Amino acid sequence: MKPARLLGHQIHPMVIVFPLGLLAISVIFDLAYLATGNAAFAETAYWNIIAGVVGGLLAAVFGSWDWLTIPRGTRAKRIGALHGSLNVVVVALFLANWMSRRDEAFHAPTSATIIMSLVAVGFALVAGWLGGELVERLGIGVWRDAEPNAPSSLRSSTRRGAPGEGAPSKV
């Protein structure tokens, strides 16, 4: 099995930016609602949570696929499992947040949902750091011939060759 790729790049890192951004900004909109009482902020946060959870589930599909390509018994496999597990907790906390405010006027946050969001963002930061550990320290997803003057991944000859396939690169 090979990592899920599009035009020479793994898909998972491309799609995680949307749910992370949507979920993080939902916290800011909730805090803006608490500061101003403007219901538009609560509504925006609520819909950002829904979109972020859906995007998180999509990112999880590609992350799981990529995790299956990491060799067993490696530190990378353990770090990847922890990274994925923490992100499942993040999505679950925001899903609980969404469910608990569905019937609230203007989908307004409660103290409990604000706490869930802050805890989830904390877990997301740790999970993101672990994702960085996978790429930057363990070379997961790094092209085998990566270097400052490597050719573009859009060139078909660079897409044909297999990347490290989960094994650390020469970096």
Side-chain angles (χ1 to χ4, degrees), residues 21-31 45-46 48-49 94 117:
L22 288 163
L23 295 173
I25 201 71
S26 75
V27 178
I28 293 169
F29 281 121
D30 275 343
L31 295 174
Y46 176 80
N48 278 345
I49 290 169
F94 275 106
S117 291

Side-chain angles (χ1 to χ4, degrees), residues 119-138:
V119 169
V121 167
F123 284 147
L125 290 170
V126 173
W129 184 89
L130 291 169
E133 185 78 355
L134 285 167
V135 174
E136 295 180 27
R137 299 290 281 178
L138 301 173

Side-chain angles (χ1 to χ4, degrees), residues 67 70-71 73-84 130 134:
W67 181 77
I70 298 173
T74 61
R75 179 169 177 260
K77 190 75 160 186
R78 292 187 304 276
I79 297 290
L82 183 56
H83 167 77
L130 291 169
L134 285 167

Side-chain angles (χ1 to χ4, degrees), residues 88-153:
V88 167
V89 171
V90 169
V91 170
L93 285 168
F94 275 106
L95 182 61
N97 183 328
W98 169 71
M99 301 273 298
S100 68
R101 60 199 280 182
R102 283 182 306 175
D103 298 327
E104 296 289 328
F106 312 112
H107 305 296
T110 63
S111 296
T113 60
I114 294 290
I115 290 168
M116 277 192 280
S117 291
L118 293 173
V119 169
V121 167
F123 284 147
L125 290 170
V126 173
W129 184 89
L130 291 169
E133 185 78 355
L134 285 167
V135 174
E136 295 180 27
R137 299 290 281 178
L138 301 173
I140 300 302
V142 175
W143 199 257
R144 173 180 55 236
D145 296 325
E147 53 103 3
N149 288 311
S152 168
S153 59

